[in-house]
């Protein structure tokens, strides 16, 4: 139609950032994705069965009844311009082969650590260090307890100074948000160093 203004303001799609939530078996990855996601998270949990006896190490997590067999997925909209996609990795060693595929395109990661079983997160730390994927460590305080300060945990995990160690509770949205903010801050600082 001549003379009419039919121009529609085009809204650009938001930038998306892929973040992995990783760590050992039973450290709280599924809980973290679920507590911070703005959507109902996609979960691929299955009941633990007798087939895992002798394979899955339940020391310290005897009450665990289900496990992630593929991934968890959640989303957080930061602004109209930025959306975080969260991918929780499976923790059992027999599912680690999936980590390589999940890591494709990831800008960073949160490695969750259970101080009752810190050795369960060594493989996750090694995975991201070897691939030079930036990460922060979230020390999940089960039952709200943090018996060790962050610096003592850093020393016990032999982490370099540039890796942030934060005490958190995977059940609490604000606590998980703070860990993710620390990771985003780290990614921004790293990008500025390169520019």
């Amino acid at each position: 139609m001549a003379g009419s203004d039919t121009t529609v303001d085009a809204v650009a799609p938001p930038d998306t950032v892929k973040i992995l939530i990783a760590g050992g078996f039973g450290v709280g990855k599924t809980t973290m994705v679920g507590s911070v996601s703005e959507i109902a998270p996609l979960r691929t949990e299955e009941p633990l069965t007798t087939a895992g006896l002798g394979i899955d190490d339940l020391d310290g997590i005897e009450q665990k009844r289900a496990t992630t067999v593929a991934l968890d997925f959640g989303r957080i909209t930061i602004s109209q311009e930025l959306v975080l996609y969260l991918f929780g990795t499976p923790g059992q060693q027999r599912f680690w082969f999936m980590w390589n595929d999940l890591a494709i395109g990831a800008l960073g990661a949160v490695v969750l650590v259970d101080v009752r079983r810190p050795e369960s997160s060594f493989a996750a730390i090694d995975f991201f260090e070897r691939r030079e994927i930036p990460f922060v460590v979230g020390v999940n305080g089960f039952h709200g307890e943090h018996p060790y300060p962050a610096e003592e945990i850093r020393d016990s995990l032999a982490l370099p100074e540039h890796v942030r160690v934060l005490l958190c509770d995977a059940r609490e949205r604000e606590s998980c948000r703070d860990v993710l903010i620390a990771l985003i801050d780290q990614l921004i600082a790293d990008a500025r160093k390169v520019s």
Side-chain angles (χ1 to χ4, degrees):
M1 294 171 37
S4 71
D5 186 4
T6 58
T7 305
V8 176
D9 289 335
V11 177
D15 288 328
T16 57
V17 176
K18 182 179 183 180
I19 303 293
L20 296 185
I21 310 298
F25 180 46
V27 297
K29 300 175 298 293
T30 299
T31 301
M32 181 177 187
V33 171
S35 68
V36 77
S37 178
E38 68 191 18
I39 61 171
L42 167 70
R43 292 187 171 130
T44 61
E45 284 196 309
E46 292 294 330
L48 291 173
T49 65
T50 56
L53 292 176
I55 298 170
D56 300 328
D57 182 7
L58 293 172
D59 287 342
I61 53 171
E62 291 83 2
Q63 302 306 314
K64 189 164 179 61
R65 298 289 175 250
T67 186
T68 299
V69 296
L71 61 96
D72 299 307
F73 174 78
R75 183 186 74 205
I76 304 170
T77 301
I78 304 297
S79 68
Q80 287 183 337
E81 294 83 29
L82 181 63
V83 175
L84 301 184
Y85 289 147
L86 307 175
F87 289 80
T89 64
Q92 294 165 283
Q93 186 173 358
R94 58 190 158 137
F95 298 124
W96 286 354
F97 68 91
M98 299 181 67
W99 286 31
N100 285 321
D101 289 337
L102 288 172
I104 295 170
L107 290 188
V110 172
V111 175
L112 281 181
V113 172
D114 176 355
V115 293
R116 302 169 304 176
R117 304 173 304 113
E119 69 284 351
S120 69
S121 292
F122 289 163
I125 291 168
D126 185 56
F127 180 88
F128 295 111
E129 285 180 339
R130 286 178 184 255
R131 287 158 184 80
E132 298 181 351
I133 297 173
F135 66 96
V136 297
V137 170
V139 182
N140 188 13
F142 285 82
H143 310 292
E145 298 175 6
H146 288 287
Y148 307 102
E151 284 309 310
E152 191 172 328
I153 294 166
R154 171 191 305 289
D155 292 343
S156 70
L157 296 174
L159 294 169
E161 282 299 316
H162 72 274
V163 175
R164 298 217 25 214
V165 177
L166 302 105
L167 304 179
C168 67
D169 186 331
R171 302 169 300 174
E172 296 181 7
R173 180 178 178 83
E174 294 78 17
S175 181
C176 297
R177 178 205 60 205
D178 292 347
V179 173
L180 291 168
I181 289 171
L183 175 60
I184 297 299
D185 287 346
Q186 180 65 46
L187 295 174
I188 291 169
D190 289 350
R192 287 183 177 150
K193 288 178 193 173
V194 174
S195 314

